[in-house]
Amino acid sequence: MSGLPPVPGTEHQTITIESNDDVVRARQLVRGLAQRCKLSLVDQTKLVTAASELARNTLVYGGGGVMRLGLVQRDGRTGVTAVFEDSGPGIPDIDQAMTDGWTSGGGLGLGLSGARRLVDDFTLETEVGSGTQIAVTKWAR
Amino acid sequence: MAEQDISARLVELLTARGELLASAWVEAVSRTLRGRISLAELDRELHDLYTALVAGIREGGSDWQGEAYAEVRALLSELSRGRARQGFTPTETATSVLACKDILAPTADTPAEDIHAYLQLSKLVDSLALFTLEVYAKTREEIISAQAEQLMELSTPVVKLWDGVVAVPLVGTLDSARTQVVMEKLLQALVDINADQAIIDITGVPAVDTEVAQHLLKTVVAARLMGAECIISGIRPQIAQTIVALGIQFGDIVTKASLADALKHALRNSSTDLSINGGQA
Ligand SMILES: Nc1ncnc2c1ncn2[C@@H]1O[C@H](COP(=O)(O)OP(=O)(O)OP(=O)(O)O)[C@@H](O)[C@H]1O
Ligand SMILES: [Mg+2]
């Protein structure tokens, strides 16, 4: 998942994001894991908020999808990774979508760009007509 | 026959026809769960468990609480938590584990030493099933307390704090539906008690994302249209930092760290006459 090795003995979980309740659940799962990973309260809140944004985008624009969640390791550090994946319309202009304040719907247009600022690692892969995958990671300090 | 020899024989039996036995286990369990869990998932779950179990017996004999069984216990915890969350009964959950015995159930022509091995497996599996049930019970408890929390979230009281000042303490996760309720209640309260200051306290809100922010902003605008001022209070440090990183701007909306500060501000700005010797408004 997101190319990083998982922490041995822990399992990655996958949940579907098909409704608002799932967005809430995604948020709760991310918070639980962030606590287990001993992220600071600020970092927990940042990651949960980023996950909330991405989960809602998956639901609203991607037409639903999945979130994969797990603990990962790099250079002896532990982090929480969440990957959001949909097979929706994709994002035609990434730069535009990542611009603060740009929205194709009625949002604030801050979800994507804000999520990137809230996490340590952010990767976005998208293809028009086949879907979008966004991975975010927050590392324990 | 010595304990170790029995364990060795058990490992032999379990590895010799490993694939066959694991599949038999999956099959037996899938019958009890009647398709409420996907076969692929169950298959993966039990095969992993089977492999870990055989490794556990090989390294640690029947000492299921020891280091050699760490993986087995981790997998069982995961299985148990999953079952509890998906609403499977304790019996169904325990049966998933207990069914593992039947795959080696002795028949009339089972040699004596293999019966010893079976008995050891049987005892071991019983212990593991109990362990699984314990995790199950703990998970159920967690689910119940989470539900209680959600219930509390549903009640959002709008309270009159002072003449001309109403407040609504928001607690828990805010989704669209709930924020809508809060907003309507708040606007109604402004009218009902003829208030011109509203305080929205978000001390109990775990995260403010763009959706929550947008609802808050809309509520403030609506209140303004009704001639009232809104103050947002209870912005904790982690929320403040997140809001800044997210790029949300609250513009000229007054924000305060605590409800007390917000009330002070509201009283200063309220058109209601509050002077000590000024009598009632
Ligand atoms: N998974 C996705 N699939 C397709 N398009 C997407 C996806 N995620 C985002 N977009 C596009 O990128 C735009 C910007 O997303 P962003 O989350 O920043 O803003 P928003 O969702 O419109 O508003 P908000 O600030 O409430 O999140 C969206 O309006 C949408 O057009
Ligand atoms: Mg968004």
Side-chain angles (χ1 to χ4, degrees):
Chain A
M1 191 168 75
S2 74
L4 292 163
V7 172
T10 65
E11 263 208 60
H12 285 172
Q13 46 187 333
T14 304
I15 66 157
T16 55
I17 298 176
E18 308 272 294
S19 71
N20 265 316
D21 285 351
D22 291 338
V23 175
V24 174
R25 208 152 61 91
R27 217 153 44 204
Q28 284 166 347
L29 285 176
V30 170
R31 181 170 303 271
L33 206 58
Q35 280 165 352
R36 240 176 75 194
C37 184
K38 303 221 162 43
L39 293 188
S40 70
L41 195 53
V42 173
D43 285 349
Q44 280 176 33
T45 310
K46 285 183 172 178
L47 183 63
V48 168
T49 308
S52 182
E53 294 301 336
L54 299 175
R56 190 147 353 81
N57 282 353
T58 299
L59 179 67
V60 174
Y61 303 108
V66 296
M67 174 184 82
R68 278 177 290 139
L69 180 69
L71 296 175
V72 286
Q73 269 183 337
R74 194 175 64 198
D75 306 333
R77 289 169 81 192
T78 309
V80 182
T81 288
V83 184
F84 298 84
E85 211 174 314
D86 65 63
S87 23
I91 303 174
D93 185 341
I94 297 178
D95 286 341
Q96 187 182 46
M98 292 295 300
T99 305
D100 276 0
W102 189 85
T103 174
S104 66
L108 294 175
L110 291 172
L112 270 185
S113 50
R116 179 163 64 173
R117 286 188 292 267
L118 288 169
V119 298
D120 297 323
D121 299 349
F122 180 101
T123 57
L124 188 162
E125 282 162 40
T126 184
E127 203 179 310
V128 173
S130 53
T132 302
Q133 179 188 314
I134 298 177
V136 292
T137 307
K138 195 98 192 156
W139 298 102
R141 276 167 225 291
Chain B
M1 201 156 75
E3 245 256 24
Q4 279 167 327
D5 296 335
I6 300 176
S7 292
R9 178 64 189 147
L10 182 54
V11 170
E12 250 176 57
L13 287 172
L14 290 174
T15 31
R17 290 182 300 142
E19 182 48 43
L20 211 75
L21 295 176
S23 302
W25 185 16
V26 174
E27 227 236 292
V29 174
S30 85
R31 253 181 282 129
T32 69
L33 302 182
R34 289 186 306 273
R36 276 175 298 153
I37 193 166
S38 86
L39 198 57
E41 197 182 337
L42 189 66
D43 194 77
R44 187 186 51 82
E45 207 174 68
L46 296 187
H47 269 93
D48 287 355
L49 199 52
Y50 190 88
T51 311
L53 182 64
V54 175
I57 300 171
R58 184 180 293 126
E59 305 297 336
S62 50
D63 175 26
W64 66 273
Q65 282 161 312
E67 187 55 44
Y69 279 81
E71 171 83 346
V72 173
R73 290 193 304 268
L75 289 170
L76 282 176
S77 302
E78 199 57 45
L79 176 147
S80 187
R81 274 191 227 113
R83 295 286 197 282
R85 283 202 205 94
Q86 290 163 49
F88 288 94
T89 65
T91 307
E92 285 166 334
T93 307
T95 305
S96 291
V97 181
L98 289 171
C100 177
K101 288 199 237 189
D102 299 338
I103 58 177
L104 274 194
T107 57
D109 42 19
T110 306
E113 51 161 355
D114 289 0
I115 293 188
H116 281 296
Y118 168 74
L119 288 177
Q120 196 198 45
L121 176 71
S122 172
K123 243 168 83 187
L124 177 63
V125 168
D126 284 344
S127 305
L128 294 177
L130 283 179
F131 171 78
T132 308
L133 273 184
E134 235 162 84
V135 178
Y136 179 92
K138 239 183 32 238
T139 310
R140 292 299 296 181
E141 265 166 43
E142 284 164 14
I143 293 173
I144 289 167
S145 67
Q147 280 170 344
E149 230 175 272
Q150 278 166 8
L151 248 163
M152 196 183 65
E153 289 176 4
L154 286 174
S155 50
T156 39
V158 178
V159 291
K160 178 178 170 184
L161 272 193
W162 212 273
D163 278 340
V165 184
V166 293
V168 51
L170 296 183
V171 178
T173 305
L174 289 177
D175 58 17
S176 290
R178 220 180 125 239
T179 327
Q180 187 69 28
V181 173
V182 171
M183 176 160 124
E184 278 165 17
K185 273 196 180 176
L186 181 64
L187 298 179
Q188 192 57 47
L190 286 173
V191 179
D192 290 349
I193 67 169
N194 193 22
D196 66 354
Q197 301 287 320
I199 300 172
I200 304 175
D201 188 79
I202 61 168
T203 309
V205 177
V208 174
D209 61 5
T210 58
E211 190 187 42
V212 173
Q214 220 181 352
H215 285 303
L216 287 175
L217 292 170
K218 276 186 189 155
T219 307
V220 172
V221 172
R224 276 188 183 159
L225 285 173
M226 298 174 59
E229 257 330 291
C230 270
I231 304 163
I232 298 175
S233 71
I235 303 185
R236 289 167 300 150
Q238 65 271 32
I239 302 282
Q241 290 185 52
T242 304
I243 288 175
V244 171
L246 206 46
I248 296 168
Q249 277 159 12
F250 278 130
D252 57 349
I253 297 167
V254 179
T255 54
K256 296 284 176 194
S258 73
L259 187 56
D261 289 342
L263 181 58
K264 256 186 242 161
H265 181 94
L267 291 178
R268 256 201 311 276
N269 286 282
S270 175
S271 60
T272 313
D273 186 359
L274 293 163
S275 56
I276 296 165
N277 48 7
Q280 289 299 104

